Amino acid sequence: MRYIIFLLFLIFNFSAYSSEILKYEIESIIREINNEDDAKVGILIKSLSEEGFTFMYNHRDPFIPASNQKLITTVSALANLSPDFKYKTILATDGNVKNGILYGNLYLIGGGDPSLTVQDLEDMVKKLKEYGINRVEGNLIGDNSYFSEEGIGQGWPEDDLNYCFTARFSGLSVNENCLKVTVNIKNGKVYASMDPLNNYYQFVYSIKFSKKAGNVILKVEGNKIIIEGKASSKRSINLESSIPVNHPSMFTLSVLSKILDKNGIKVLGKMYLGKAASYKYLVIHQSRPLRELIKKANKDSDNFYAEQIFRTIGKEVYGEGSTYTSARAIIDTLRKMNITTENIRIYDGSGLSRYNATTPEALVKVLEYIYKTPYFYDFFESLAISGVDGTLKHRLNDQFLKGRIIAKTGYIKKVKNLSGYVKASNDEVFVFSILVNDFKTTEIANKLQEKICSILVKHPRMVGIGNLNTHNKN
């Protein structure tokens, strides 16, 4: 009996001593970083074992989250929509089909699906052909009303709006609202193509040929893609560019129009946007379940997926797919998790906005919450794994750290964040959030995050909770 008491005494004191050492090591790293760069740092680290190690540093201060915002978005989506949620895109009519002719309008009704592709639209049109339809007497109408907004978020960086990672959100979208343009100039001629094919954009050529070649550029003005510059008639030029479409719902409808033409279905009426009121289903396309879609948002840090999922929360909870309702629904969800929302501001779902604010405490509590739910593995599998995949494929990838940090990165100008889980060498699990704002160089933020993660992995504790892979799915 005395031996058991003595052993428990040793275990308790070693654990306490170990915690103090770990705390000292982390504080030393913070002091070192502050000496190099007076960055704003916020940290919360917590062991998921009972009465385990906790470290706090500015943990309730507001920080710009960058893509760590996606953690809040995707956890809230799982909580409000369920991992089985599927998006629907519908072809419908207000008329009737007779002798291969659709007497009425053909509607394309968007459901906010971030994953809808040209191939999906082609499959839907093939099913129309199975009805024997080869002509539409009415109009081709696109319904994008699933979201009450279309465009970009408040506080998105203006310098980045010409890139596809800031593609506009919309209730009716295709190919992540990104258009690929290829230009070949050869033997004094210009060949240009678009993917996907559409009726929305038009090429305008303004190329001058001369003996000496100059610069050839692409620029977009409204629905015109202008190719301009100087080219040599004796030299070939190949250009490839990807551009975010400026009117996603109309663009998507125009892609469908091209597909209908290709499949021999002629639409006699006009093409425009409008709300479908009374209609009958012709074809329904369903997306993969939400548990699969959040992998793109988190593991690959796909902004478009995050924005579509974000507005879906507001639509499904409050009946309106807007920034306001989605932010409100997420704040309500955080409060149900007993998270203080005083220093939290939500302007988008992706973290592109510099108006967003969150705290290390909020992020850790979100990660703690989902860990204790039946949805944990759906969420866990959406995160990047150090040295293995996603945005952590080339970070924290030495032999000892590889596969032990499962987390979400976040980066915009002067913001570099990392939040997630660490599996220590003894299989103890830490949940953490390390937020760094207002730094001079990204190397400072990287060093802070990587040193702390390394210490957590290499610092064994006496008490463990087992490997994450044994977490109960039920």
Side-chain angles (χ1 to χ4, degrees):
M1 183 67 179
R2 288 182 179 179
Y3 174 77
I4 294 173
I5 293 172
F6 178 69
L7 184 61
L8 290 173
F9 174 80
L10 286 178
I11 291 172
F12 175 79
N13 282 278
F14 179 83
S15 180
Y17 176 73
S18 178
S19 293
E20 287 303 313
I21 292 294
L22 185 52
K23 181 180 177 183
Y24 175 79
E25 290 176 333
I26 295 171
E27 287 174 343
S28 297
I29 294 170
I30 295 171
R31 283 195 298 271
E32 177 189 340
I33 295 301
N34 284 338
N35 287 335
E36 294 184 48
D37 187 337
D38 190 22
K40 182 183 177 184
V41 176
I43 301 171
L44 181 56
I45 302 166
K46 189 174 181 180
S47 169
L48 288 174
S49 61
E50 290 186 16
E51 299 180 359
F53 173 79
T54 300
F55 179 85
M56 298 174 287
Y57 183 83
N58 297 333
H59 65 295
R60 289 180 175 167
D61 288 356
F63 288 80
I64 298 173
S67 282
N68 274 206
Q69 185 76 13
K70 294 181 175 76
L71 294 173
I72 294 173
T73 300
T74 53
V75 168
S76 298
L78 290 173
N80 286 286
L81 308 176
S82 94
D84 296 318
F85 177 86
K86 293 181 180 181
Y87 288 90
K88 294 179 182 178
T89 305
I90 299 166
L91 282 173
T93 184
D94 53 8
N96 296 290
V97 180
K98 187 177 180 180
N99 298 326
I101 300 173
L102 174 59
Y103 293 95
N105 298 311
L106 179 62
Y107 293 95
L108 176 63
I109 304 171
D113 186 358
S115 64
L116 191 75
T117 65
V118 171
Q119 184 61 56
D120 295 329
L121 291 178
E122 288 180 346
D123 291 343
M124 293 175 75
V125 169
K126 286 176 183 177
K127 290 182 180 179
L128 274 188
K129 292 288 288 184
E130 292 175 5
Y131 283 97
I133 298 173
N134 53 49
R135 196 167 83 210
V136 177
E137 287 286 333
N139 303 307
L140 179 61
I141 303 172
D143 185 341
N144 65 353
S145 61
Y146 187 77
F147 296 160
S148 60
E149 306 169 323
E150 179 178 276
I152 60 174
Q154 292 185 55
W156 285 17
E158 290 188 12
D159 292 344
D160 294 334
L161 296 181
N162 291 325
Y163 299 97
C164 280
F165 67 82
T166 60
R168 289 160 171 77
F169 51 82
S170 175
L172 184 56
S173 307
V174 68
N175 280 25
E176 296 190 45
N177 294 337
C178 185
L179 177 69
K180 294 180 180 179
V181 178
T182 302
V183 178
N184 296 305
I185 301 176
K186 188 176 181 180
N187 298 326
K189 294 183 179 180
V190 181
Y191 305 91
S193 62
M194 292 182 276
D195 182 19
L197 295 174
N198 63 91
N199 292 322
Y200 182 75
Y201 283 103
Q202 297 177 346
F203 284 117
V204 175
Y205 304 114
S206 183
I207 297 291
K208 294 181 180 179
F209 290 96
S210 62
K211 292 182 180 180
K212 291 185 178 181
N215 290 328
V216 175
I217 62 169
L218 299 176
K219 65 180 184 180
V220 181
E221 294 181 359
N223 64 343
K224 295 178 180 178
I225 299 174
I226 301 170
I227 306 169
E228 65 179 17
K230 290 183 179 180
S232 170
S233 56
K234 296 182 179 180
R235 293 179 61 186
S236 298
I237 296 176
N238 298 309
L239 294 175
E240 289 186 358
S241 183
S242 294
I243 59 174
V245 300
N246 55 26
H247 196 337
S249 49
M250 197 65 199
F251 173 79
T252 303
L253 192 62
S254 76
V255 171
L256 176 63
S257 176
K258 275 286 189 183
I259 295 171
L260 290 167
D261 286 344
K262 186 177 76 172
N263 283 272
I265 300 177
K266 186 174 180 59
V267 180
L268 300 183
K270 297 179 180 179
M271 182 177 70
Y272 59 89
L273 298 178
K275 187 169 175 58
S278 178
Y279 56 86
K280 296 176 288 189
Y281 295 130
L282 292 172
V283 181
I284 300 175
H285 169 78
Q286 289 192 326
S287 72
R288 288 170 292 136
L290 183 64
R291 63 168 57 87
E292 295 294 324
L293 302 184
I294 63 171
K295 291 178 183 178
K296 283 278 288 184
N298 286 335
K299 197 178 285 286
D300 298 333
S301 205
D302 191 297
N303 295 318
F304 179 73
Y305 270 65
E307 291 301 331
Q308 297 288 107
I309 292 169
F310 171 67
R311 284 165 185 81
T312 303
I313 298 170
K315 177 66 175 180
E316 294 299 316
V317 174
Y318 289 119
E320 180 185 324
S322 68
T323 302
Y324 171 76
T325 56
S326 296
R328 177 184 164 196
I330 290 175
I331 289 292
D332 290 346
T333 302
L334 295 179
R335 286 172 178 160
K336 290 175 185 176
M337 298 177 190
N338 294 318
I339 294 173
T340 301
T341 58
E342 180 182 344
N343 284 331
I344 296 176
R345 296 192 301 273
I346 299 174
Y347 281 84
D348 67 18
S350 64
L352 281 169
S353 177
R354 299 191 73 87
Y355 298 158
N356 291 323
T358 194
T359 66
E361 181 182 61
L363 290 168
V364 165
K365 284 192 172 184
V366 164
L367 293 167
E368 273 190 288
Y369 167 84
I370 197 69
Y371 182 81
K372 298 173 184 177
T373 71
Y375 306 151
F376 174 65
Y377 264 87
D378 294 316
F379 174 72
F380 177 72
E381 291 179 354
S382 78
L383 299 177
I385 303 171
S386 58
V388 176
D389 63 14
T391 55
L392 284 178
K393 187 172 184 177
H394 303 293
R395 284 189 70 189
L396 301 156
N397 57 354
D398 69 39
Q399 187 174 2
F400 198 79
L401 297 180
K402 186 176 180 179
R404 289 192 170 272
I405 293 89
I406 300 91
K408 181 73 199 75
T409 57
Y411 175 70
I412 55 177
K413 189 176 181 180
K414 292 194 173 184
V415 175
K416 193 80 183 276
N417 301 327
L418 187 68
S419 301
Y421 306 94
V422 172
K423 295 190 289 185
S425 58
N426 68 338
D427 285 339
E428 182 170 8
V429 180
F430 295 95
V431 60
F432 73 93
S433 180
I434 306 170
L435 308 185
V436 188
N437 288 190
D438 301 328
F439 51 74
K440 293 177 184 176
T441 64
T442 55
E443 286 77 11
I444 290 294
N446 288 340
K447 186 190 294 186
L448 174 70
Q449 292 160 3
E450 290 165 12
K451 282 191 172 185
I452 290 176
C453 286
S454 180
I455 287 173
L456 294 174
V457 169
K458 297 175 182 178
H459 197 90
R461 300 284 311 288
M462 293 296 292
V463 181
I465 63 169
N467 195 295
L468 275 171
N469 293 329
T470 65
H471 193 284
N472 185 7
K473 293 185 181 182
N474 298 317

